[in-house]
Amino acid sequence: MKGLSVHHSFHRAFTIHGVHNVTFEDNVVYDTMGHSFFWEDASETNNIVRNNLVMRTRPATSSLNSDMTPASYWLTNAE
């Protein structure tokens, strides 16, 4: 996933769920609701996230409770 733009999203930008060996690079995320980059299970391995820009991550009430106080990058386990 390289050089993408995600903007004005009502439900996150990228959900990394069961994904392995993928690079997320040089992406721009603007004005999304809920976590912008969301690692769902913490079982994903060998993914690279670099040189991404996230701006204006807003609360979402229709997702998980944690999306009400969202993070631009939300990880359950950063190993």
Side-chain angles (χ1 to χ4, degrees):
M1 311 296 270
K2 185 173 181 175
L4 303 174
S5 68
V6 178
H7 52 88
H8 301 95
S9 171
F10 290 102
H11 188 68
R12 303 189 183 128
F14 297 97
T15 297
I16 296 98
H17 176 78
V19 175
H20 308 285
N21 304 307
V22 176
T23 299
F24 298 87
E25 183 175 29
D26 299 330
N27 300 297
V28 175
V29 177
Y30 175 73
D31 195 15
T32 59
M33 296 177 76
H35 307 298
S36 294
F37 280 82
F38 176 68
W39 282 260
E40 193 160 6
D41 294 329
S43 62
E44 298 80 14
T45 59
N46 300 317
N47 295 307
I48 298 169
V49 179
R50 67 175 164 224
N51 298 329
N52 296 287
L53 176 63
V54 179
M55 297 174 289
R56 197 169 184 212
T57 302
R58 297 186 296 133
T61 57
S62 61
S63 299
L64 298 175
N65 285 340
S66 64
D67 285 297
M68 293 172 64
T69 55
S72 295
Y73 297 87
W74 190 88
L75 298 92
T76 48
N77 184 0
E79 283 189 36

